[in-house]
């Protein structure tokens, strides 16, 4: 059974209600994740000695944020069955509930996804080089097929690494390519540990959804491994991320200020894993708490890496201002989620 099979007209609503439903459907709070990695890419370009290029920055930001938004609309449609089966969604998992509550029809979400796809394809065509255009197309394809058939990456235990790769590797890589025309040597040393952290974070999100996902045949990594082994892998990924940071920092591949900044987030990783070991799946409140911990941890590593890179580069005032704005936005977001929890 799919969203198409269950398509029904939503009851008549005012324009204001429709707009508010679309805003909720967009799940704007998650766009902060890609905002941070765009800022990281700009910081890495500054570290490579490049000044800010406004046109390239705006091009990258519009493309990445638009693609991220497209993914939300796409996921809401193609995850309709799993979201409907979810008896206890959290503030971070289980979808926006807009479609399952009948506030909008599934086709409205799919239509919005296609509009965003076509718009971002046009933006990708504006990229200044063949390499940047190919990278943009790869990002678009991975984002669309995260849940869309026939690939459905997150239904084949590939969704976690796909999201992590797009956010922490391809996004800053595209920004660096646009800003500096090359990939700085520091990028892998900074971004591979972030990739491991984000992979673990996405496993946590899917772990919170595992019962509903199993009910509809959605084979995420936690469902392939089972909850106990999934928690073990989440712990291993976090330990590997911080050990790698230590290695690349000591080896000189990563400036010490960057390595130390990210290493300071290690207590958040411990807090997360400890919560997982306390069985977060026993009730919705604990699942929500663990999902929040994973989100705090992943965002903090991105903030810390960007801050360290900016300090090492001598500081780009605009990127610094953006980072402060994102941090304030994140604090307000977390405070709002905690009040509603």
């Amino acid at each position: 059974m799919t969203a198409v099979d269950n398509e029904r007209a939503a009851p008549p609503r005012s324009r204001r209600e429709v707009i508010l439903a679309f805003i909720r459907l967009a799940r704007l709070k998650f766009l902060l994740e890609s905002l941070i990695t765009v800022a990281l890419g700009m910081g890495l370009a500054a570290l490579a000695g490049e000044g800010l290029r406004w046109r390239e920055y705006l091009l990258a930001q519009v493309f990445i944020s638009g693609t991220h938004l497209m993914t939300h609309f796409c996921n809401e449609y193609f995850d309709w069955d799993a979201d409907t089966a979810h008896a206890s969604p959290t503030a971070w998992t289980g979808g926006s509930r807009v479609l399952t509550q009948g506030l909008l029809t599934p086709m409205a979400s799919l239509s919005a996804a296609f509009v965003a796809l076509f718009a971002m394809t046009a933006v990708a065509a504006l990229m200044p080089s063949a390499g940047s255009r190919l990278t943009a197309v790869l990002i678009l394809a991975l984002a669309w097929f995260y849940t869309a058939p026939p690939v459905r990456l997150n239904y084949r235990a590939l969704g976690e690494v796909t999201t992590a790769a797009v956010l922490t590797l391809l996004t800053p890589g595209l920004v660096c390519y646009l800003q500096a025309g090359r990939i700085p040597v520091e990028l892998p040393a900074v971004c591979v540990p972030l990739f491991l952290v984000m992979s673990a974070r996405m496993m946590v999100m899917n772990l919170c959804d595992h019962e509903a996902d199993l009910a509809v045949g959605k084979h995420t990594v936690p469902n392939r491994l089972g909850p106990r082994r999934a928690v073990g892998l989440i712990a291993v990924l976090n330990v590997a991320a911080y050990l790698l940071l230590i290695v690349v920092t000591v080896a000189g591949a990563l400036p010490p200020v960057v390595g130390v900044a990210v290493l300071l987030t290690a207590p958040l990783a411990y807090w997360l894993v400890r919560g997982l070991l306390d069985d977060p799946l026993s009730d919705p409140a604990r699942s929500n708490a663990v999902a929040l911990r994973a989100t705090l941890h992943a965002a903090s590593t991105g903030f810390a890496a960007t801050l360290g890179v900016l300090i090492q580069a001598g500081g780009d005032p605009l990127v610094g201002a953006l980072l402060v704005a994102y941090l304030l936005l994140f604090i307000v977001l977390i405070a709002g989620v905690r009040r509603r929890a």
Side-chain angles (χ1 to χ4, degrees):
M1 188 177 297
T2 66
V4 174
D5 300 321
N6 289 277
E7 185 70 40
R8 66 183 185 278
R13 299 182 183 279
S14 68
R15 180 178 299 179
R16 179 177 180 274
E17 288 175 324
V18 171
I19 292 173
L20 290 176
F22 260 108
I23 291 173
R24 182 177 162 191
L25 183 74
R27 310 192 81 187
L28 297 177
K29 62 187 178 185
F30 290 109
L31 296 185
L32 184 65
E33 297 166 352
S34 55
L35 290 174
I36 295 171
T37 50
V38 168
L40 176 59
M42 292 167 62
L44 286 166
L47 191 60
E50 297 293 332
L52 176 66
R53 299 179 180 180
W54 276 99
R55 179 184 179 277
E56 285 75 10
Y57 160 66
L58 293 173
L59 193 64
Q61 191 66 78
V62 168
F63 175 76
I64 294 300
S65 294
T67 301
H68 199 164
L69 189 62
M70 175 204 76
T71 308
H72 290 172
F73 293 136
C74 186
N75 293 350
E76 289 284 325
Y77 179 81
F78 290 110
D79 270 343
W80 195 92
D81 288 337
D83 292 344
T84 301
H86 211 309
S88 54
T90 72
W92 305 97
T93 64
S96 69
R97 317 310 293 173
V98 169
L99 303 187
T100 58
Q101 293 173 1
L103 301 179
L104 292 172
T105 67
M107 191 55 66
S109 186
L110 183 63
S111 299
F114 271 114
V115 169
L117 173 63
F118 296 147
M120 292 309 105
T121 300
V123 174
L126 296 176
M127 298 290 173
S129 66
S132 58
R133 288 192 292 272
L134 285 173
T135 303
V137 169
L138 177 59
I139 290 172
L140 268 177
L142 291 173
W144 182 265
F145 289 115
Y146 178 72
T147 51
V151 183
R152 311 200 84 181
L153 293 162
N154 201 33
Y155 285 68
R156 303 173 187 273
L158 294 171
E160 295 87 352
V161 296
T162 296
T163 299
V166 169
L167 284 175
T168 64
L169 299 176
L170 293 176
T171 292
L174 176 63
V175 175
C176 285
Y177 204 89
L178 290 171
Q179 289 287 318
R182 60 188 175 88
I183 301 298
V185 294
E186 295 86 359
L187 188 145
V190 175
C191 292
V192 171
L194 300 187
F195 166 79
L196 296 175
V197 167
M198 184 58 71
S199 296
R201 186 249 177 175
M202 294 308 300
M203 284 184 60
V204 173
M205 301 294 113
N206 282 337
L207 186 61
C208 292
D209 289 342
H210 86 286
E211 290 183 355
D213 290 346
L214 274 176
V216 299
K218 187 176 179 181
H219 301 294
T220 61
V221 170
N223 285 344
R224 294 279 193 186
L225 297 179
R228 184 179 297 275
R229 286 191 292 175
V231 169
L233 180 55
I234 290 166
V236 168
L237 288 172
N238 278 289
V239 170
Y242 288 100
L243 287 178
L244 181 59
L245 271 170
I246 293 171
V247 169
V248 295
T249 302
V250 171
L254 192 64
V257 66
V258 182
V260 171
V262 182
L263 283 169
L264 289 175
T265 66
L268 292 175
Y270 171 77
W271 185 42
L272 166 64
V273 173
R274 180 175 178 179
L276 287 167
L277 294 174
D278 288 339
D279 184 21
L281 305 177
S282 58
D283 62 75
R286 297 185 73 180
S287 292
N288 192 72
V290 171
L292 174 60
R293 292 181 186 186
T295 301
L296 280 170
H297 178 226
S300 296
T301 58
F303 277 122
T306 307
L307 179 61
V309 166
L310 287 175
I311 293 173
Q312 180 67 29
D316 186 303
L318 178 60
V319 180
L322 287 173
L323 189 63
V324 171
Y326 298 159
L327 179 58
L328 293 174
L329 177 63
F330 188 67
I331 292 171
V332 171
L333 166 65
I334 295 301
V337 170
R338 290 181 67 85
R339 281 198 299 270
R340 292 193 296 273

